[in-house]
Amino acid sequence: MPQFQMSYKSLFYGGLFMIFSLFSPYAEAANTAHDFLFQSIDGEYLPMSDFKGKPILVVNTASMCGFTKQYDGLQEVYNEYRDQGFVVLGIPSNNFGSQEPGTEKEIKKFCETNFGITFPMTEKVSVKGDDIHPFYAWIRSEGFGLPKWNFHKYIIGKDGEIIDSFGSMTKPTSKKIKKIIEAELQKPNVQN
């Protein structure tokens, strides 16, 4: 019986995900990052609203990229600030050089085995093109550029607004990223 309930829940949330993913105008109606949802790398429902009141470093990732070693830095910055409420969200994407060809199961195993990743990760999604995930369509509608390559970083504030964007060359442990994270952690939580 619990197995059936889990399957029903997965179907329900999967249906919601499909509805939101199919209608990109949803991105235009969204007010903050908290209005979006993903599926986790394990296939579970992962609403961004779960991160209300927490700064988030959102990064499109790839396992076979020259920047893949940045997983170490992402885990390091997550370890440093997670007890204060900070979140890193890894979003696997195969948009650049086909450098993330694996399944979610393969990606998860690669990340855990090679980098000890413990921060949340989503299923593999598109961060550009006709099949762009609504979250990234919203980023574009907010005037921030879309990723030009793997390991592009966006910092989302506690209120769900985009604070800044950094290209692949900027390391997750850079002083400028840490400065923004620390400033955001000091802000009081806002009820929305």
Side-chain angles (χ1 to χ4, degrees), residues 1-9:
M1 187 74 162
Q3 180 103 14
F4 175 76
Q5 289 174 345
M6 185 62 164
S7 296
Y8 177 75
K9 180 180 174 185

Side-chain angles (χ1 to χ4, degrees), residues 27-83:
E28 294 168 11
N31 293 316
T32 73
H34 299 146
D35 294 326
F36 294 95
L37 57 105
F38 288 91
Q39 282 187 293
S40 76
I41 201 160
D42 296 314
E44 297 296 317
Y45 179 59
L46 181 62
M48 293 289 283
S49 60
D50 283 357
F51 306 129
K52 280 185 179 181
K54 299 178 178 186
I56 314 163
L57 181 62
V58 177
V59 186
N60 62 301
T61 62
S63 300
M64 301 172 75
C65 178
F67 294 106
T68 301
K69 289 190 177 205
Q70 286 192 18
Y71 270 127
D72 281 329
L74 291 170
Q75 186 64 44
E76 181 181 328
V77 77
Y78 179 63
N79 289 344
E80 186 172 350
Y81 298 110
R82 72 177 165 195
D83 290 342

Side-chain angles (χ1 to χ4, degrees), residues 90-104:
I91 300 181
S93 168
N94 198 37
N95 289 112
F96 304 103
S98 298
Q99 294 180 344
E100 190 60 278
T103 65
E104 280 78 9

Side-chain angles (χ1 to χ4, degrees), residues 148-179:
K148 291 184 173 43
W149 199 253
N150 303 308
F151 290 88
H152 190 98
K153 300 149 198 80
Y154 298 95
I155 300 178
I156 308 294
K158 288 181 171 186
D159 59 1
E161 298 293 331
I162 304 171
I163 296 173
D164 212 336
S165 171
F166 298 93
S168 307
M169 296 295 288
T170 304
K171 294 180 180 179
T173 55
S174 73
K175 288 182 181 178
K176 51 188 162 186
I177 288 180
K178 284 186 165 190
K179 184 176 180 182

Side-chain angles (χ1 to χ4, degrees), residues 87-162:
V87 176
V88 171
L89 181 62
I91 300 181
S93 168
N94 198 37
N95 289 112
F96 304 103
S98 298
Q99 294 180 344
E100 190 60 278
T103 65
E104 280 78 9
K105 186 176 180 180
E106 291 167 335
I107 295 165
K108 181 178 178 179
K109 182 177 180 183
F110 173 84
C111 290
E112 290 175 352
T113 302
N114 294 294
F115 299 99
I117 298 304
T118 61
F119 54 79
M121 293 187 70
T122 71
E123 69 176 343
K124 188 163 57 172
V125 301
S126 184
V127 301
K128 68 175 192 166
D130 293 339
D131 59 345
I132 189 171
H133 188 280
F135 173 78
Y136 282 92
W138 171 75
I139 284 175
R140 182 177 53 208
S141 74
E142 291 293 299
F144 285 81
L146 292 175
K148 291 184 173 43
W149 199 253
N150 303 308
F151 290 88
H152 190 98
K153 300 149 198 80
Y154 298 95
I155 300 178
I156 308 294
K158 288 181 171 186
D159 59 1
E161 298 293 331
I162 304 171

